[in-house]
Amino acid sequence: VLVIDVSGSMQAEDVDPTRLEAAQNVVRGFLKDLPPRFKVGVVAFSETAEVAAPASDDRQLAIDAIDYLYPQRGTAIGDAIARGVEVARAADEGLSGVTRPAAIMLLSDGSQTEGILLPQEGAARAKSFKIPVYTIALGTPEGVVEFNRFGGTRIIPVPPDPATLRQIATSTGGRFYEAESAGDLREAYEKMGSLVSKVERKQEVTFAFLAGGLVLLLAAAAVAVVTFPRLP
C-alpha cells in the first residue's frame, strides 16, 4: 500500500521540480517496474487520510490515482498508517481466512499536525497485524513554501521529520530512508521494492517448507500404523 503525503508542504521546490511532482514521477516508474503478482493500493493524506485506489492488480488504477494527487493542508501520519492497514486487510476479503503478506510504503515530508491517531498509534496498529511500514522522509532541512496574500509574501520553513518516520519503521519491522533529491527518492523506492519482494518470497518458502514437513509427518504416521501392531 502506497501512503503518500499531499500536505501543502509538498509544494516546496527543494526537491526538483516540487516534492509532490518528484514523488509522482518516481512512484509511476516504481509501479511500472513492480512485478504483476503484487496488488497495489494508494492512500493520500493531508489533514485526513483517504483511499485514492483500493488494493488491486489493475496497475493503471494506481497510476491514475497518483496522477490525480494535489497539495492540500495538514499532515495526519497516524491516521494515514491506519488507513493503509485497512486497505491491506481489505485485499484479503473473500480468501477464506488466508492472509497474504502486506507492506506499507509511507512517504511524508513533515511532522504530524492533524489527525486522530498519533504516528506511534498508527504504527502500533500496523504492527498488530504484522504489517511492516517502510518510510521515506522527503525534502531538505532548508525547504520552504511561499504564500502570496494581500500583496505580501510569507515564507514558511517545512523541514521533514526523519525522527518520527525512523521510529515508525523501526517499531513495525520496516526500513527508513531519507530523500533530499529525486535521485535519492528513486533509490529508496527501488530498495523498498527489493526488500518487500524478499519478505514475500521468504514467507512463501517458509509456508512451503512447513507444508512439506506436514506431508512427511503424515506419511510417517501412516507407515507407523501399517508397520507396528496396535496395542490391545
Side-chain angles (χ1 to χ4, degrees):
V1 181
L2 302 174
V3 180
I4 300 177
D5 191 337
V6 292
S7 59
S9 55
M10 290 290 281
Q11 300 175 79
E13 298 178 356
D14 56 333
V15 180
D16 187 52
T18 68
R19 293 177 179 179
L20 181 56
E21 289 179 75
Q24 288 172 307
N25 291 335
V26 169
V27 172
R28 285 190 202 100
F30 171 78
L31 288 172
K32 290 176 181 177
D33 294 337
L34 196 65
R37 69 177 180 274
F38 287 98
K39 286 191 172 186
V40 180
V42 181
V43 171
F45 71 98
S46 52
E47 61 185 351
T48 60
E50 306 294 339
V51 178
S56 167
D57 51 15
D58 182 351
R59 205 51 49 83
Q60 191 59 46
L61 189 65
I63 292 174
D64 289 343
I66 297 299
D67 290 342
Y68 293 138
L69 299 181
Y70 61 93
Q72 300 179 49
R73 296 180 61 182
T75 307
I77 295 174
D79 292 356
I81 298 172
R83 188 72 71 195
V85 171
E86 291 176 3
V87 171
R89 286 176 54 76
D92 286 330
E93 290 181 359
L95 292 179
S96 301
V98 176
T99 300
R100 286 178 289 195
I104 290 173
M105 298 181 176
L106 170 67
L107 169 69
S108 182
D109 74 331
S111 303
Q112 170 136 330
T113 61
E114 303 283 350
I116 298 172
L117 298 178
L118 295 174
Q120 294 78 10
E121 292 174 322
R125 186 166 299 184
K127 183 178 180 180
S128 70
F129 291 106
K130 296 181 172 60
I131 299 176
V133 183
Y134 297 82
T135 60
I136 302 176
L138 178 63
T140 66
E142 298 78 26
V144 298
V145 290
E146 296 184 7
F147 292 98
N148 297 308
R149 291 184 178 179
F150 310 111
T153 300
R154 183 183 179 191
I155 299 177
I156 302 176
V158 286
D161 183 6
T164 296
L165 296 181
R166 185 187 299 275
Q167 184 179 13
I168 291 169
T170 300
S171 67
T172 61
R175 293 284 182 89
F176 165 74
Y177 303 91
E178 289 186 271
E180 295 191 352
S181 68
D184 291 343
L185 187 60
R186 188 172 295 105
E187 183 178 355
Y189 272 100
E190 288 174 354
K191 289 181 177 179
M192 287 193 300
S194 176
L195 285 170
V196 169
S197 296
K198 287 179 182 178
V199 169
E200 185 198 38
R201 285 197 296 271
K202 181 178 179 181
Q203 291 195 6
E204 288 176 346
V205 170
T206 300
F207 177 79
F209 177 80
L210 291 174
L214 180 59
V215 169
L216 291 174
L217 182 61
L218 292 173
V223 170
V225 168
V226 173
T227 305
F228 299 102
R230 295 184 179 181
L231 292 174

